[in-house]
Amino acid sequence: MSSEFSLIQQYFSRPTPDVVLGVGDDCALLQSSPNMHLAVSTDSLVAGVHFFHDADPALLGWKSLAVNLSDLAAMGATPRWCTLAISLPEVDESWLAAYADGLYHCADAHQIRLVGGDTTRGPLNLSLTVMGEVPINQALRRDGAQVGDAIWVSGDLGDAAFALAAIQGQLQLSEVDMASLAQRLHAPVPRVSLGLALRQIAHSAIDISDGLLADLGHILSHSRVSAVLHYAALPTSEIVADLAAHPAYDRCVLAGGDDYELCFTAPVAHSDAISAMAEQLDVRLTCIGEIVADGGMQLMDADGQPMQMVQMGYDHFVS
Ligand code: ADP
Ligand code: MG
């Protein structure tokens, strides 16, 4: 059986260019850049809570880093370094090799270096800390939304939640549609370049990990503002649009977790720049509403009539 040290050596010690000192000593040594704030965030994935025990380890490797990168994206931070605290019930070398491949695949795609961590025995738990850099005073915070801002969302809403609903047997999808939605659930692509492009454009941003209403709700409460949302504007993939009559539709699109899209607010004067950014980055960006002074979160139907969020189970968002 391998020692903890040889496991680290074998699976988590790939080269880290540009790092003063990476894995192997008591601490990593990192050189931060002048005039930058360090953005730091930790997210854990717990077996049985965030993923199934038999989940594909390579996808878990990708996702455990991707969800953390999504937080850096939401701050407008450039990914730099990460650490991994992993707790394993047993040493399964093929599992570890696949997990490490998935993790490094995501790390290489986003230029973030694994510089340290901790390896212990225990219930399967993957905890990553990411560090990124953002120019002083340019971070995209939750408390920056202003009355009059347009509210935008990237990508499509509800794909991951519908994938999970299908896995749980709540609906039947064709094989092709299932593969497409499952990809969004298991291998989310963090919106890192969008976050960087939104520096000095967006007033506030958050990543959608708990559902649009909950996460936009955080922007509203931190910024002490309200919002009007237009139901008909909510962006969905063709697959989810075809499910509009399904009883889970509103829950998946408005409150579904795991999409890892960005929700941000920006002055209306930047709308053209944001549309140009969508073209340039090849990412769908949709204006879904506006920030207003009062009223909590109001959802309007296609005729401009308020919709009853209480009936949808979102009574805690009604002021
Ligand atoms: P210590 O007992 O001094 O904390 P460890 O044996 O926990 O040292 O770790 C040895 C080195 O390996 C450290 O540099 C640590 O950051 C790194 N390390 C441990 N586990 C991991 C891991 N899962 N991924 C990356 N680096 C790790
Ligand atoms: Mg240690």
Side-chain angles (χ1 to χ4, degrees), residues 163-178:
L164 189 60
I167 290 167
Q168 290 170 337
Q170 294 169 30
L171 72 152
Q172 215 44 62
L173 291 171
S174 72
E175 211 169 301
V176 181
D177 288 355
M178 186 63 216

Side-chain angles (χ1 to χ4, degrees), residues 4-5 7-9 11-13 21-28 82-88 96 99 103-104 114-120 127:
E4 172 194 327
F5 182 74
L7 287 180
I8 297 165
Q9 182 73 19
Y11 297 110
F12 299 114
S13 300
L21 189 63
V23 170
D25 212 314
D26 296 309
C27 291
C82 63
T83 59
L84 165 68
I86 185 168
S87 139
L88 298 162
L96 269 172
Y99 176 79
L103 180 84
Y104 278 107
L114 179 65
V115 296
D118 197 31
T119 306
T120 56
S127 183

Side-chain angles (χ1 to χ4, degrees), residues 154-297:
S154 67
D156 296 317
L157 299 171
D159 285 346
F162 262 118
L164 189 60
I167 290 167
Q168 290 170 337
Q170 294 169 30
L171 72 152
Q172 215 44 62
L173 291 171
S174 72
E175 211 169 301
V176 181
D177 288 355
M178 186 63 216
S180 169
L181 296 192
Q183 172 80 8
R184 294 267 290 149
L185 175 66
H186 296 309
V189 176
R191 297 293 187 188
V192 173
S193 37
L194 175 60
L196 299 183
L198 288 172
R199 287 174 182 171
Q200 295 183 298
I201 295 234
H203 277 158
S204 69
I206 192 165
D207 67 320
I208 305 179
S209 52
D210 296 328
L212 173 68
L213 295 187
D215 290 316
L216 175 60
H218 294 311
I219 289 186
L220 301 187
S221 58
H222 283 248
S223 303
R224 299 173 189 278
V225 291
S226 291
V228 173
L229 290 180
H230 304 291
Y231 186 80
L234 299 174
T236 57
S237 61
E238 278 180 31
I239 301 170
V240 168
D242 285 345
L243 293 166
H246 193 278
Y249 180 86
D250 286 339
R251 177 178 60 76
C252 288
V253 171
L254 288 163
D258 262 0
D259 279 326
Y260 299 102
E261 295 296 347
L262 296 187
C263 175
F264 58 94
T265 78
V268 173
H270 286 323
S271 294
D272 288 346
I274 292 168
S275 298
M277 191 187 293
E279 291 267 312
Q280 201 187 345
L281 298 177
D282 195 23
V283 51
R284 186 178 192 180
L285 297 178
T286 310
C287 178
I288 58 166
E290 49 276 337
I291 296 291
V292 295
D294 311 292
M297 187 147 13

